[in-house]
Amino acid sequence: MPKVTFINADGTRVRVEAPMGETVLELAHEHGINLEGACEGSMACSTCHVIVENGFYESLEPPSEDEEDMLDLAFGLTLTSRLGCQITVTEDLDGLVLRVPTGSRNVLLG
Ligand code: FES
């Protein structure tokens, strides 16, 4: 089974087994990672923002226009930012490392 590593905002790393077909958001929630996902994957928020750390960005399916629009609203956007609810685990993603940003817009606006 592919393995995915999350880097929490406090720098701790959590390496988990990632069942194929699950989204990164589902995976994060199963393992107690602090990734919000306020709209539960319907691309109506940007609180599931993750940063792809280790060269896997190019291996992912490119983001849709809707995803890019939501990412524009994400706090701390980077060149390898994605929405966690839009990344589906495949065999090719074995070794993926994802950083959870230190804040999200929802948190900052209270
Ligand atoms: Fe809202 Fe991903 S959970 S866009």
Side-chain angles (χ1 to χ4, degrees):
M1 201 184 289
K3 307 265 194 310
V4 171
T5 300
F6 289 95
I7 305 175
N8 287 307
D10 66 2
T12 53
R13 286 175 171 252
V14 182
R15 190 159 188 253
V16 301
E17 297 208 327
M20 298 215 271
E22 271 198 4
T23 66
V24 160
L25 180 65
E26 289 166 340
L27 197 60
H29 284 175
E30 272 161 30
H31 294 277
I33 307 293
N34 191 15
L35 189 62
E36 192 174 324
C39 77
E40 292 176 0
S42 52
M43 259 201 288
C45 73
S46 58
T47 61
C48 62
H49 171 207
V50 290
I51 298 164
V52 182
E53 278 285 301
N54 58 344
F56 272 86
Y57 185 80
E58 302 298 330
S59 316
L60 302 174
E61 291 287 315
S64 63
E65 244 172 68
D66 285 347
E67 182 178 349
E68 283 182 351
D69 287 349
M70 289 318 303
L71 277 170
D72 283 342
L73 304 175
F75 177 78
L77 187 68
T78 75
L79 288 174
T80 62
S81 289
R82 292 296 303 262
L83 294 179
C85 67
Q86 299 303 309
I87 302 175
T88 303
V89 175
T90 63
E91 196 73 64
D92 293 347
L93 297 189
D94 185 32
L96 177 68
V97 179
L98 298 164
R99 178 177 293 278
V100 178
T102 48
S104 75
R105 213 170 270 276
N106 277 17
V107 172
L108 288 182
L109 294 180

